[in-house]
Amino acid sequence: MHIRRATGADVEPIVAMLADDQLGRQRESAADPAPYRRAFEAIDGDPNQFLAVAEDAGEVIGTLQLTFIPGLSRKGATRALVEAVRVRSDRRGDGLGAVLMKWAVEEARRRGCALVQLTSDASRTGAHRFYLRLGFEQSHFGFKLTL
């Protein structure tokens, strides 16, 4: 298994993973690939974005997106934001999620980030335990406004 930058050919299996859980089934649909393709082009063209895939035997089995956010706070620190961590359903429980997250932390460190942050839906209690086991601290409350 290895982790690499996603290509356009990876969009379909990534979307399949995004749609394959209780929340994703409500908000994702592979029926119209155009919005996902547009989003991929925007991500791929932005140097502060890294859409990663884990690949095994030529198949995409996991994904996450890293966003690098330069800021003035913390003495001008850059932070890495981890989003959309997914592992293909038939590979869950194999430790792949931990491998992906450790890779993300190392990539953030390699790029000089001062911290790695993420949010997780309040209903994903298993994911919360997972992130705590990896050393993340539950330090903030999150808010969002759907537009």
Side-chain angles (χ1 to χ4, degrees):
M1 194 245 351
H2 71 283
I3 299 170
R4 61 170 174 77
R5 180 179 289 277
T7 68
D10 300 318
V11 172
E12 184 178 322
I14 291 170
V15 171
M17 285 185 285
L18 293 174
D20 186 25
D21 69 24
Q22 78 237 15
L23 296 174
R25 282 188 281 279
Q26 299 170 30
R27 60 186 181 204
E28 307 298 342
S29 172
D32 180 8
Y36 298 105
R37 293 261 171 224
R38 283 191 300 274
F40 173 78
E41 293 301 323
I43 293 165
D44 197 47
D46 183 339
N48 286 322
Q49 303 292 328
F50 194 111
L51 182 59
V53 293
E55 185 178 62
D56 188 25
E59 294 185 11
V60 174
I61 58 171
T63 188
L64 63 73
Q65 182 176 341
L66 270 176
T67 299
F68 301 98
I69 307 168
L72 294 177
S73 66
R74 296 179 181 257
K75 299 179 181 174
T78 297
R79 60 186 71 209
L81 175 66
V82 180
E83 287 284 323
V85 179
R86 297 292 190 285
V87 172
R88 203 171 70 186
S89 60
D90 65 330
R91 297 296 297 263
R92 292 180 192 145
D94 290 350
L96 177 58
V99 171
L100 273 167
M101 288 302 298
K102 287 176 184 173
W103 175 89
V105 169
E106 286 307 312
E107 182 65 14
R109 189 174 280 124
R110 188 183 74 73
R111 291 196 185 204
C113 293
L115 68 98
V116 177
Q117 62 188 33
L118 58 89
T119 61
S120 180
D121 191 273
S123 68
R124 294 184 189 270
T125 56
H128 304 164
R129 288 189 300 273
F130 167 73
Y131 294 123
L132 289 168
R133 279 194 312 270
L134 293 178
F136 285 82
E137 297 175 16
Q138 195 169 3
S139 62
H140 291 71
F141 289 100
F143 300 90
K144 64 182 170 183
L145 177 65
T146 301
L147 303 178

